[in-house]
Amino acid sequence: MATSEGTPVPLDRSGQRVSTGPYTLRSLMEDVPLSAEGQNTQITITCVEYWDGNLYIGTSASEILHFVSFPSDAPDEPHSVNYILASRLELSQGVSTAGSSSTKGVQQILLLPSVNKACVRCNNVLTFYSLPELSPAFGNTKVSGCSWIGSRDLDINDNEQAGPEVIMICIKNRIRLVKIGEEPRLVKNIEFPGCLASARRGRFACVADAHSYALLDVDNQQKIPLFPISSLDEETDSMTGGAPPDIVKTIPQASGNLTPIMAQGDTGTGDSIIHRQSTSLGAFVGGLGNVQPASRSPSRDRSGFTAPGGAGGRRSPQQGASPLRSISSSQSPTRVSEARASISRPIADSSHNSKVAQWKTVQQPHALLKPNISSPIASEFLLTTGTSLTEPGVGIFVNCDGDVVRGTLEFSQYPSTIVIDGSDPLANNTAGSLEDDQEGFVLATIKRTLDGLEQNGLEIQRWDVTSEAKTWLAVPEVSHNVKEDINASSTDNTVGLTMTLTVQEIHFPEVGNRLRSRRLKISRSTGNEEAGIVDNRQSDLTSHISLEDWEIARGQQEDDFARRLGIKRTRVVTWSGSSIFWVVRNPLALTLEFVIDKVLHASQESRLDQNRLVKIMREIHNQEARTETDFLSLEYIRQKISIILFADLATSRLDVNQHVNEHLFVEGGLDPRVLLSMVPLLRDDIVEGPKGIWIHAGLVALMERQLAVSSITLEPDEILSRPEDFDLLGLTRRYLTIWRQRKGFGSIADEAQVFSTVDAALLHVLLYQDQQSLGGPGGSSTVRAELYAVVDNDVDCFDRAVELLERFRRLYVLSRLYQKRKMAGKVLATWRRIIDGEHDDGGELVDGENEVRKYLVKIRDLSLVEEYGTWLAKRNPTLGVQVFTDDQSRVKLSPHQVVQLLRSRAPDAVKEYLEHLVFGKKNVQYANDLISYYLDNVLAVLSTSENARSILAQSYESYRALHPPKPTYRQFIIDNAIPASWWHDRLRLLELLGGSHGAGFSYDIPEILQRIEPFEDSLVPETIILDGRQGRHHQALRLLTHGLGDYHTAINYCLLGGSSIFHPTSGRVDSLSIPSREEQATLFKSLLSEFLHIEDVSDRVERTSELLERFGTWFDAAYVLELIPDSWSVELVSAFLISSFRRLVQDKSEAMITKALSGAENLKISADLIEKCQILGPQVEVVEPQISTS
């Protein structure tokens, strides 16, 4: 995301400079009045400090400009701050000592807010002031020869700091720890000459002179030499080896005060006091100078530290009183030497080594590198080293034991200043919490030359993670053409960088302008606002507020909300020329949006790089938002990418990228109505609701452009004119399907409108795609299954769904939608439309009438059952009657109600229903009605159709022509039935008349006889049954024998009686309906008489002989012999005679046996009586005479 080298810093819509890296610049102050007399290009800013709304600017003219901030009055910029110059403090030019820094003017401003003091180093002269007005403090005392001030304990939180603070003041030959309070007090002297930079964490301080770094343990009086600043420095050989020297001289204190310096002077340090106005500060000044000269050891190293125990070395009394610990050379960390060896490896190649050798040969002096010390966390220090200003530099992390930790950092050139920002979880010195502290960055001021253009700026990289990525942040007004101004002073263009004391909030209005919500207006061909959908979330609005007023109020709320967004906090300041800038973390929305816009710009010349956008989505997938702005920014970026990708798919004629899938769009979290608006086919499905669609304002302009160029039409008259359109619809279908699964989550804004749109659009897409498949139930299985699933699970856009299904002529699917809503009347009406012939493109309702029957059985609505049951009975009596006869039906009607209903609305179905009652339910109550219906149908046909009468006559002749054995007449007409309803009715009529419902069933015989009398020649079986019912058996047997020739039925008539013929018999016959044997014998006599009158002699003899042979037991032999003609041979009835005689002989023998058995039984009883009498013996009974009383 870094700007390519040489590319100018772009501007956003508001004209602000845009950086694609992690940091960007925001103007703190431009055109600083560096000179009181007007424009002076020779004066530059040397240092900057900011505290509690006070801005202090040090200049090369030895002045401090004090600015005070106040809020801006601009209503549209509530977060902007204005500055007013409060004072211009002119400092003494001082005297630059030899070897001092080349920087002129104000070199350092150290603010101590806990004691309201400021320490200012100007031209190596230290001065003290009071905050915030910078009035002289401590009697306007000045200390010359000061090379560095600072090293406040970084482990102490500024908010927790109360009371005096201990700082390090570096003078020529030593470092002095001084406690600044109501008055300064000297704490310790540390023998370390030429200190140019330092940083302190508790008891550990990392310091540097002009040549090397060292680690000091202030409390335990130890020093660990580290490594040189420049690997080309020849004066570092004495830095390593030997025991650590004495580094602390304890300062004796008398009565709590330091010894005045004016009394003793400073004979050993060369320090001098330039100006003093108050003698009350003598204790502090004396403390700085009243130090006894230490015994100088010949083995003292370059830094002035004396190795204890060295030859000739003697400790002073103060030294002897201080317990010292030593570290032998063998205990020095080996990793330091390893680090030294690694310093030159990444920054020096063979050519560089040859140059170094050449420089050493000719003894060319090399420029000293400025030491840089920072502390990223409580236990580590970051130091820089290199070879020269124009060569790459290396950052090395050292812990408090002097060991090199982590990996090294590489800088493209040796940095003049470094600042560490963020990622110290234990850091507590920040005045205010920074939400971006979880990411640690190193910012370094670098001067580089590219294509003849010299640039000063900031090189930024991560220090807390392993990453080689670096970004360049150009600082404005620092570039000039090297070729045109080759003699220009490099110091005039130096970029400064520092970390201020107080955190400042920087507002990015462009972030709020993008992230606030605005209404998206979608143009459509027809209106589709569902009046019933109301956003219940707007409960704070009263009903009397108009939508225009509500929209204005909502816009104002969004503007107010936007002012809270885009606020970043920073402490880093950079400057160049007369301009000062805040170096602030780049808002996530602006950073990522610039990358997206860059991809869009490149797509103007070639195809959109979809993979790059997908990669961005994946990179931010697991990114955790730590602030509300970051959360909305990530949401905004995901949604913007979703819009761009979907718009590209909607307008591109290329295949869908396999990485651009429905899950990507769902992850974007964008309101699906926004994406659907880019497909004109689906725009009418969008339900905006009364409040409209509200999305990020940055997306509204993008959508307006996309809606203007969307070219996909997908009109029904041009079905799938482009194959990629089908791919897009498939993607849209899957996207909407996933969205539909989120129903009921409760966290979706405008839930009613959103899911109404989702359902309508999904249904529309499915109908459109299914339209391409073949009709009928065997169409596109996947699409059609999804279509059924949508309507079967109900939809939130019911009216729109009905409209779409009607438009696509999908009546069956419409009926399923009605079924889900339990709208039984609509379901039946839709099926009725299909059955009555209205076209259904799907063709899914194959057996419509049966579906209606099954549905009517399930519903409970009496009126619908009556209406559509009779309608179905009228179309298909068989199915229609089943609606009323099904035992599972939830609507129960009595037979009388059904009969009356059918007679009034479906007369043709009455017979079907009666048959069900009579034959199915054995309900004889309606048998007469059914007989009447049968007679009406049969007689109506016979009276009007000669063909029907001839058919019956022909059936009789055909049956009589058959030779025995032959089936009964009933079986004959069943086997030879014709496909005519009247024929079926006649069979059912014969069954009913013949007694199929038992002997208890009766009907009006005279009425039936009267009705069939005109057709008695055609209805012979009916006449036979009726004769039998009336007891006219002789006439019935005559018709059976001579009219039909159905001899088998005639025999059954004699056995079963006349009421049990012409109907199927199964199981046992009711014994009550069977005539007695005497009645059967009488019937057989009549039948024998009829058989003897059969016209055909052979049939007469054969039928008579068979009858006598099979049923001879019912005949008397004498009667038969009298009845048989004398001309018949005895042989014709021999079987009957033999069986009769055998029966007579058998009867005689049985009588004789019975008689014998009876006689034997009589004798046995007589014998038993005699035996009993003998046993009992005789009994004498005396009868007393009766005396007469007369």
Coordinates of all heavy atoms in Angstrom, one line a residue, residues 990-1013:
L990 N -80.0 -55.7 -11.6 CA -80.3 -57.2 -11.4 C -79.8 -57.6 -10.0 O -80.4 -58.4 -9.4 CB -79.6 -58.0 -12.5 CG -80.3 -57.9 -13.9 CD1 -79.4 -58.6 -14.9 CD2 -81.7 -58.4 -13.9
E991 N -78.6 -57.1 -9.6 CA -78.0 -57.4 -8.4 C -78.9 -57.0 -7.2 O -79.1 -57.7 -6.2 CB -76.6 -56.8 -8.2 CG -75.9 -57.3 -7.0 CD -74.4 -56.8 -7.0 OE1 -74.0 -56.3 -8.1 OE2 -73.8 -56.8 -6.0
L992 N -79.4 -55.8 -7.3 CA -80.3 -55.3 -6.3 C -81.6 -56.0 -6.2 O -82.1 -56.4 -5.2 CB -80.5 -53.8 -6.4 CG -79.4 -52.8 -6.1 CD1 -79.7 -51.4 -6.4 CD2 -79.0 -53.0 -4.6
L993 N -82.2 -56.2 -7.4 CA -83.5 -56.9 -7.5 C -83.4 -58.3 -7.1 O -84.3 -58.9 -6.5 CB -84.1 -56.8 -8.9 CG -84.5 -55.4 -9.4 CD1 -85.0 -55.5 -10.8 CD2 -85.5 -54.8 -8.5
G994 N -82.2 -58.9 -7.3 CA -82.0 -60.3 -7.0 C -81.8 -60.6 -5.6 O -81.7 -61.8 -5.2
G995 N -81.7 -59.6 -4.7 CA -81.6 -59.9 -3.3 C -80.2 -59.9 -2.8 O -79.9 -60.7 -1.8
S996 N -79.4 -59.0 -3.3 CA -78.0 -59.0 -2.9 C -77.9 -58.5 -1.4 O -76.8 -58.7 -0.8 CB -77.1 -58.1 -3.8 OG -77.7 -56.8 -3.8
H997 N -78.9 -57.8 -0.9 CA -78.8 -57.2 0.4 C -79.6 -58.0 1.4 O -80.1 -57.4 2.4 CB -79.2 -55.7 0.3 CG -78.2 -54.8 -0.3 ND1 -78.0 -54.9 -1.7 CD2 -77.4 -53.9 0.2 CE1 -77.1 -54.0 -2.0 NE2 -76.7 -53.4 -0.9
G998 N -79.9 -59.2 1.1 CA -80.6 -60.1 2.1 C -82.1 -60.1 2.0 O -82.7 -59.3 1.2
A999 N -82.6 -61.0 2.7 CA -84.1 -61.2 2.6 C -84.9 -60.0 3.2 O -86.0 -59.8 2.9 CB -84.5 -62.5 3.3
G1000 N -84.2 -59.3 4.1 CA -84.9 -58.2 4.7 C -85.1 -57.0 3.9 O -85.8 -56.0 4.2
F1001 N -84.4 -56.9 2.7 CA -84.4 -55.8 1.8 C -85.7 -55.9 1.0 O -86.0 -57.0 0.4 CB -83.2 -55.7 1.0 CG -83.3 -54.8 -0.2 CD1 -83.5 -53.4 0.1 CD2 -83.2 -55.2 -1.5 CE1 -83.6 -52.5 -1.0 CE2 -83.3 -54.3 -2.5 CZ -83.5 -53.0 -2.3
S1002 N -86.4 -54.9 0.9 CA -87.7 -54.9 0.1 C -87.8 -53.7 -0.7 O -87.2 -52.6 -0.4 CB -88.9 -55.0 1.0 OG -89.0 -53.9 1.9
Y1003 N -88.5 -53.7 -1.8 CA -88.7 -52.6 -2.7 C -90.1 -52.7 -3.2 O -90.8 -53.7 -3.1 CB -87.7 -52.5 -3.8 CG -87.4 -53.9 -4.4 CD1 -88.2 -54.3 -5.5 CD2 -86.3 -54.6 -4.0 CE1 -87.9 -55.5 -6.1 CE2 -86.0 -55.8 -4.6 CZ -86.8 -56.3 -5.6 OH -86.6 -57.5 -6.3
D1004 N -90.5 -51.7 -3.9 CA -91.9 -51.6 -4.4 C -92.0 -52.4 -5.7 O -91.7 -51.9 -6.8 CB -92.3 -50.1 -4.6 CG -93.8 -49.9 -4.9 OD1 -94.4 -50.9 -5.1 OD2 -94.2 -48.7 -4.9
I1005 N -92.5 -53.6 -5.5 CA -92.5 -54.6 -6.7 C -93.6 -54.1 -7.7 O -93.3 -54.1 -8.9 CB -92.8 -56.0 -6.2 CG1 -91.6 -56.4 -5.3 CG2 -92.9 -56.9 -7.4 CD1 -91.8 -57.8 -4.7
P1006 N -94.8 -53.8 -7.3 CA -95.8 -53.4 -8.3 C -95.4 -52.2 -9.1 O -95.6 -52.2 -10.3 CB -97.0 -53.1 -7.4 CG -96.8 -53.9 -6.2 CD -95.4 -53.9 -5.9
E1007 N -94.7 -51.2 -8.5 CA -94.3 -50.1 -9.2 C -93.3 -50.4 -10.3 O -93.3 -50.0 -11.4 CB -93.8 -49.0 -8.3 CG -93.3 -47.7 -9.0 CD -92.7 -46.7 -8.1 OE1 -92.7 -47.0 -6.8 OE2 -92.2 -45.7 -8.5
I1008 N -92.4 -51.3 -9.9 CA -91.3 -51.7 -10.8 C -91.9 -52.5 -12.0 O -91.6 -52.3 -13.1 CB -90.2 -52.5 -10.1 CG1 -89.6 -51.6 -9.0 CG2 -89.2 -53.0 -11.1 CD1 -88.5 -52.3 -8.2
L1009 N -92.8 -53.4 -11.6 CA -93.5 -54.2 -12.7 C -94.2 -53.3 -13.6 O -94.2 -53.5 -14.9 CB -94.4 -55.2 -12.0 CG -93.8 -56.5 -11.4 CD1 -94.9 -57.3 -10.7 CD2 -93.1 -57.3 -12.6
Q1010 N -94.8 -52.3 -13.1 CA -95.6 -51.4 -13.9 C -94.7 -50.7 -14.9 O -95.0 -50.4 -16.0 CB -96.4 -50.4 -13.0 CG -97.2 -49.4 -13.8 CD -98.0 -48.5 -12.9 OE1 -97.9 -48.6 -11.7 NE2 -98.7 -47.6 -13.5
R1011 N -93.5 -50.3 -14.4 CA -92.6 -49.5 -15.2 C -91.9 -50.4 -16.3 O -91.6 -49.9 -17.4 CB -91.5 -48.9 -14.3 CG -92.0 -47.8 -13.4 CD -90.9 -47.1 -12.7 NE -90.1 -46.4 -13.6 CZ -89.0 -45.7 -13.3 NH1 -88.6 -45.7 -12.0 NH2 -88.3 -45.0 -14.2
I1012 N -91.6 -51.7 -16.0 CA -90.9 -52.5 -16.9 C -91.9 -53.3 -17.8 O -91.4 -54.0 -18.7 CB -90.0 -53.5 -16.2 CG1 -90.8 -54.5 -15.4 CG2 -89.0 -52.7 -15.4 CD1 -89.9 -55.6 -14.9
E1013 N -93.2 -53.1 -17.5 CA -94.1 -53.9 -18.3 C -94.0 -53.7 -19.8 O -94.0 -54.6 -20.6 CB -95.5 -53.6 -17.8 CG -96.6 -54.5 -18.6 CD -98.0 -54.2 -18.0 OE1 -98.1 -53.3 -17.1 OE2 -99.0 -54.8 -18.5

